Amino acid sequence: MTDHALMSWLPQLAPAAPAWLATLQAAARAQVQTQIAAPDAEAWRYTSLNHLLEQGFVPIDETITALQPDDLDEVLIPGLASRRVVFVNGRYAPELSATEALPPGVHLDSLRDVLAHDPDAVRVLLTAEPATVPLFMALNLAGLDDGLVLRLDRAAILAQPLELIHLSIGLDQPSVAQPHHLIVLGDGAQATLVERYVSLGAAVYCTNAVIEIQLGRDAVLTHERLQTESQNAFHLSGLSLRQDANSRYQSVNLGLGSRWSRTELLTQFCAAHAECDLRGLYLAGDDQRIDYHLDVNHAVPNCTSRETFKGIIYGKGRAVFDGRVVVAKDAQKSDAAMSNQNLLLSPQAEIDTKPQLEINADDVRCSHGTTVGQIEPEKLFYLRSRGISAALARRMLCLGFADEIIHTLHSETLREHLSEQVGQRLESAPWD
Amino acid sequence: MLVVNGLRATVGEKEILQGLNLTVNPGEIHAIMGPNGSGKSTLAHVLSGRDGYTVTGGSATFAGQDLLALEPEQRAHLGLFLAFQYPVELPGVNNTYFLKAALNSIRKARGETELDAVSFLRLIKEKLKILHLDESLLKRAVNAGFSGGEKKRNEIFQMALLEPKLAILDETDSGLDIDALRVVADGVNALRSPERSMIVVTHYQRLLDYIQPDFVHVLAKGQIIRSGGKELALELETTGYGWIDAEGLAA
């Protein structure tokens, strides 16, 4: 690993940055350097950075203004009724966004705007500790530039889902965008967020996004993350979640696109009786590789977490599931259940799965389970005996396997859209 | 319709079917009875094209075609249907979607137009009525979490929808209590027609109280050793299978 390649992801520090931000970014930069000098071997055990570094990504300080709202049509999901916030190559694009008539108590801004007009507001919203976050989150922090700032006041309700679209288009040079979003739900607030990553065209680019979420007491957030970028894209995303008492976080993470991707989900319970439900489905085919890293921290008693990830891997696809649940010494009555099930469709497909429980309390209910299997011949024969071709039967069984995750999406429109996307991808899958 | 001639099949090293002959004409119902391990289920599986069996001799012709050369789905396209002894659970696969995929695959293979959603739903509701089944069946995943009786009824329901020329019922009575058995048998009887033949594979005579066969065959050691009318089933009820000796020959 050469340090040069990653350090060149960082733009020049903005001269007008407030002192606290300059300090934070310097700390993040130091963390990047530390991580480059002595990488976390365990976190990178199954993944080589070489392919990413070879691309020579650089940040492009350029706001894309050529896009018209029509250009969005090909990436919008028909019938998905929602307000939307669009980021183009990491930068807020108000002309493509639709955020009219937000309910009372819901505040939506771009990070650039807030930094320009009320930088101290950002200071309290940034909770990620630059000195301890993983490499790419540190890199994102060090390059902090733009993002969404969504704040819901106490008891505010965003009943209609908000779509957060990351649209990437290729530039002459392979570029990296590092949006950083801050989502804060006050006590008792509720929202549904559909976070999407899509490409226009098939250029090589990289997204390294971070989303920080804070849920107040009794707050409820449904968070659906759909990564359907082009097969040439590089994708990194980090979630940092902090939950107050009785809050509920439910997420579905779908990884279908990109050539190389890594998603890190870090969650922290800060007070009792909070619930966190992380679900995921990944599809890695051809020469794709998809990594998921979970770090779920039961730091306080009486919280519940569920981690349910499923993967379908075919061709020369490779996936990694590295899930870790840590129960602190005082976190009695913690309840955690992690499962990772994988379907391998070809002899060259590969999954590295590593579920881990680190339990330091003695009165807890924790479990984990992993399966790696193939399509069961009995099931295949059953469908074929009914006249269904082998190819369609395999696809039906894969979709059936995926359905446990897909059916938890909040809208029928989304469920149908994603089933179709998975089905289409599998249509091109080689079966041996 | 179906002519099986000297059929031999092995599982691994073991020869299960040892020269089996059977002819089924349109509209006939044949019961195949026999002790455990006689090859009843193997016959059903070999005819429907399940993997894991090697045909080492003989032939099977169905609707004028060499059945054994066809893929399982091609056999279904020709009008063969197997009602499974143990219907497979398919979690996440919606029953309606499954039924529509099956019906339209068969129609397409036969050069018929595929049914659209509306016509399909109309057809399927008609079939549900004939079998006195509840519509909630359509919303569930195929056989997932079904009781034994529900699974068997779902098999018969598929048969009603796909309208096969030849249905093979593999131990359809196994695991059913008498009420469930009656419901399933009623469904089968509702599907009897002069064009549709059936092979009813069973260990016990009691299913044949409800589904009256035209012919009864006794299978032992991979061969049919006796054939007769339905009275043969009643005879077996009293004599059991003890009269068949270790070589599979009538004592």
Side-chain angles (χ1 to χ4, degrees):
Chain A
M1 190 191 300
T2 60
D3 58 12
H4 179 73
L6 281 184
M7 294 313 284
S8 66
W9 284 25
L10 298 176
Q12 298 298 315
L13 274 184
W20 66 264
L21 183 57
T23 308
L24 182 141
Q25 293 195 288
R29 195 178 272 260
Q31 168 71 350
V32 172
Q33 270 157 338
T34 307
Q35 289 285 313
I36 287 171
D40 179 344
E42 209 38 45
W44 292 93
R45 186 164 156 193
Y46 302 110
T47 310
S48 158
L49 274 176
N50 293 342
H51 196 38
L52 178 74
L53 300 180
E54 279 163 13
Q55 309 298 322
F57 293 118
V58 289
I60 303 284
D61 187 18
E62 179 184 328
T63 303
I64 313 283
T65 51
L67 289 177
Q68 303 294 319
D70 287 0
D71 296 322
L72 267 188
D73 288 353
E74 71 173 270
V75 297
L76 291 181
I77 298 172
L80 181 68
S82 67
R83 295 189 179 86
R84 63 173 177 269
V85 186
V86 180
F87 282 77
V88 177
N89 291 9
R91 196 155 289 174
Y92 180 47
E95 71 284 2
L96 302 178
S97 302
T99 58
E100 297 78 23
L102 287 166
V106 177
H107 313 283
L108 189 155
D109 304 280
S110 80
L111 180 59
R112 283 201 144 198
D113 270 0
V114 186
L115 275 174
H117 301 114
D118 187 10
D120 284 347
V122 176
R123 189 178 189 176
V124 295
L125 299 179
L126 277 171
T127 56
E129 280 292 332
T132 58
V133 293
L135 173 60
F136 284 91
M137 276 198 199
L139 202 52
N140 174 292
L141 271 175
L144 196 74
D145 174 41
D146 204 355
L148 167 69
V149 179
L150 175 68
R151 286 169 284 187
L152 271 72
D153 294 345
R154 185 190 175 88
I157 291 179
L158 188 55
Q160 274 216 341
L162 176 72
E163 201 176 349
L164 169 55
I165 301 181
H166 299 82
L167 179 68
S168 296
I169 53 178
L171 302 171
D172 295 341
Q173 253 184 308
S175 64
V176 57
Q178 306 202 72
H180 191 109
H181 308 299
L182 300 167
I183 314 289
V184 181
L185 270 62
D187 293 350
Q190 296 186 14
T192 298
L193 182 65
V194 180
E195 184 185 353
R196 299 182 56 210
Y197 293 86
V198 294
S199 318
L200 275 184
V204 176
Y205 66 82
C206 178
T207 304
N208 177 31
V210 168
I211 183 162
E212 285 190 56
I213 299 178
Q214 296 180 58
L215 301 184
R217 295 178 74 92
D218 302 304
V220 180
L221 179 66
T222 300
H223 188 192
E224 297 172 348
R225 320 183 71 210
L226 318 176
Q227 191 272 100
T228 54
E229 296 191 89
S230 98
Q231 300 278 322
N232 291 324
F234 288 73
H235 174 96
L236 291 141
S237 88
L239 164 84
S240 166
L241 168 71
R242 298 172 67 84
Q243 292 186 251
D244 206 341
N246 290 308
S247 62
R248 223 161 68 225
Y249 175 78
Q250 312 176 56
S251 78
V252 182
N253 297 268
L254 297 188
L256 305 184
S258 80
R259 180 195 304 181
W260 189 102
S261 76
R262 181 177 174 101
T263 301
E264 294 175 335
L265 309 176
L266 316 181
T267 80
Q268 182 89 38
F269 292 121
C270 306
H273 300 292
E275 288 175 28
C276 173
D277 189 350
L278 307 173
R279 284 179 288 240
L281 172 72
Y282 45 90
L283 193 61
D286 310 320
D287 287 319
Q288 266 182 303
R289 50 164 320 140
I290 297 191
D291 288 18
Y292 280 90
H293 298 262
L294 276 55
D295 206 333
V296 175
N297 286 289
H298 283 260
V300 293
N302 286 301
C303 290
T304 302
S305 75
R306 294 288 177 268
E307 299 79 24
T308 315
F309 279 71
K310 291 186 123 177
I312 301 174
I313 303 133
Y314 63 88
K316 289 180 189 158
R318 244 194 102 181
V320 174
F321 176 82
D322 174 14
R324 196 162 79 112
V325 174
V326 182
V327 179
K329 188 163 171 285
D330 299 328
Q332 301 296 1
K333 307 280 183 198
S334 287
D335 180 349
M338 175 159 46
S339 96
N340 176 230
Q341 291 177 272
N342 297 281
L343 210 47
L344 298 188
L345 304 182
S346 71
Q348 289 157 306
E350 185 179 327
I351 171 76
D352 293 293
T353 175
K354 195 176 73 169
Q356 311 161 71
L357 296 176
E358 282 181 34
I359 302 170
N360 301 302
D362 51 20
D363 181 16
V364 299
R365 204 166 72 182
C366 295
S367 66
H368 69 76
T370 296
T371 63
V372 178
Q374 292 156 11
I375 287 180
E376 292 167 53
E378 297 75 34
K379 292 181 175 176
L380 195 59
F381 174 66
Y382 189 74
L383 291 172
R384 294 180 74 188
S385 78
R386 298 304 183 244
I388 296 169
S389 71
L392 178 56
R394 288 191 187 101
R395 226 159 46 233
M396 286 171 70
L397 293 172
C398 288
L399 278 168
F401 175 80
D403 186 69
E404 186 192 346
I405 305 299
I406 290 179
H407 94 263
T408 61
L409 290 164
H410 83 278
S411 92
E412 180 63 32
T413 303
L414 263 188
R415 293 192 288 271
E416 278 177 15
H417 179 79
L418 268 307
S419 283
E420 215 176 283
Q421 295 253 310
V422 172
Q424 276 172 11
R425 279 288 306 282
L426 291 169
E427 229 165 287
S428 63
W431 294 100
D432 36 46
Chain B
M1 174 173 286
L2 174 73
V3 180
V4 179
N5 203 346
L7 186 62
R8 291 177 173 274
T10 57
V11 175
E13 297 287 292
K14 195 166 190 259
E15 187 170 57
I16 310 287
L17 299 182
Q18 304 179 6
L20 186 140
N21 299 312
L22 177 68
T23 298
V24 178
N25 294 308
E28 291 176 356
I29 298 204
H30 291 245
I32 296 193
M33 303 184 68
N36 291 330
S38 58
K40 302 191 298 290
S41 281
T42 297
L43 175 63
H45 290 156
V46 168
L47 292 180
S48 52
R50 190 184 195 123
D51 278 347
Y53 302 91
T54 310
V55 174
T56 51
S59 66
T61 311
F62 176 61
Q65 294 215 37
D66 175 6
L67 190 63
L68 303 175
L70 302 176
E71 298 293 339
E73 58 268 35
Q74 294 173 314
R75 301 181 197 205
H77 300 160
L78 278 184
L80 187 76
F81 180 89
L82 171 68
F84 282 58
Q85 180 179 5
Y86 303 109
V88 180
E89 297 197 15
L90 304 177
V93 180
N94 171 268
N95 217 0
T96 305
Y97 173 56
F98 159 65
L99 294 167
K100 189 162 174 236
L103 183 67
N104 277 338
S105 294
I106 291 175
R107 291 182 67 97
K108 202 170 149 191
R110 290 178 183 164
E112 298 163 8
T113 52
E114 296 181 41
L115 289 190
D116 61 32
V118 177
S119 330
F120 176 74
L121 217 62
R122 198 177 297 136
L123 175 68
I124 210 166
K125 288 192 173 169
E126 199 179 292
K127 301 291 182 187
L128 280 171
K129 236 178 255 164
I130 297 174
L131 298 177
H132 306 287
L133 291 170
D134 195 85
E135 269 188 39
S136 63
L137 184 76
L138 301 175
K139 295 202 176 96
R140 298 169 70 180
V142 182
N143 296 327
F146 283 29
S147 69
E150 284 177 321
K151 282 181 183 166
K152 298 294 172 83
R153 278 157 72 183
N154 202 21
E155 293 293 291
I156 305 306
F157 177 50
Q158 291 167 37
M159 173 173 151
L161 183 73
L162 302 180
E163 300 186 313
K165 291 198 188 83
L166 172 65
I168 303 171
L169 309 183
D170 186 12
E171 310 241 5
T172 291
D173 50 335
S174 70
L176 294 186
D177 62 29
I178 201 72
D179 293 327
L181 182 67
R182 194 171 289 141
V183 172
V184 167
D186 286 349
V188 171
N189 287 324
L191 299 174
R192 285 184 86 146
S193 91
E195 296 82 41
R196 182 167 298 131
S197 316
M198 297 189 198
I199 297 175
V200 180
V201 173
T202 182
H203 185 87
Y204 301 103
Q205 189 271 337
R206 79 178 177 161
L207 178 66
L208 305 179
D209 287 340
Y210 300 97
I211 303 173
Q212 300 252 321
D214 300 304
F215 302 94
V216 173
H217 310 279
V218 179
L219 184 61
K221 296 288 166 184
Q223 291 186 339
I224 287 174
I225 55 164
R226 265 189 81 184
S227 295
K230 60 188 172 220
E231 69 284 348
L232 177 55
L234 294 170
E235 185 190 321
L236 287 173
E237 178 78 351
T238 46
T239 60
Y241 295 111
W243 52 275
I244 301 168
D245 72 11
E247 274 70 51
L249 302 170

